[in-house]
Amino acid sequence: MADLKETLTGIVQAIVDHPDQVTVTEEISGSNIDLTLNVAPEDMGMVIGRHGRIAKAIRTVIKAAASGSGKKVNVEIR
């Protein structure tokens, strides 16, 4: 299984202006994985995108990366 935390960090660092301020925390409980993404306030718009399209695409890619593990992934952006 791909390391979801590193995958999410790499994707987001590629699209923001301040990649050094990107942090991802991972919390595993049973068959659920909760990833919390923190970015600089001025980068929030880039991560969310128009009408949430980029955020939705990021969540889709992370869920696809986790599909082989049989775990449910939730990505929260802060």
Side-chain angles (χ1 to χ4, degrees), residues 28-39:
I28 300 172
S29 59
S31 64
N32 293 329
I33 300 174
D34 294 322
L35 298 173
T36 304
L37 171 65
N38 293 306
V39 297

Side-chain angles (χ1 to χ4, degrees), residues 9-48:
T9 302
I11 291 170
V12 175
Q13 283 180 340
I15 61 173
V16 297
D17 288 334
H18 305 285
D20 54 324
Q21 294 184 21
V22 174
T23 59
V24 177
T25 56
E26 182 178 42
E27 190 174 313
I28 300 172
S29 59
S31 64
N32 293 329
I33 300 174
D34 294 322
L35 298 173
T36 304
L37 171 65
N38 293 306
V39 297
E42 55 270 13
D43 289 333
M44 190 62 74
M46 289 183 202
V47 173
I48 295 174

Side-chain angles (χ1 to χ4, degrees), residues 35-78:
L35 298 173
T36 304
L37 171 65
N38 293 306
V39 297
E42 55 270 13
D43 289 333
M44 190 62 74
M46 289 183 202
V47 173
I48 295 174
R50 290 188 180 189
H51 304 288
R53 288 185 181 145
I54 294 176
K56 184 177 179 182
I58 290 171
R59 288 183 176 112
T60 302
V61 169
I62 296 301
K63 287 179 183 181
S67 65
S69 68
K71 296 192 179 221
K72 184 176 179 182
V73 179
N74 181 36
V75 178
E76 183 178 339
I77 300 170
R78 293 187 181 175

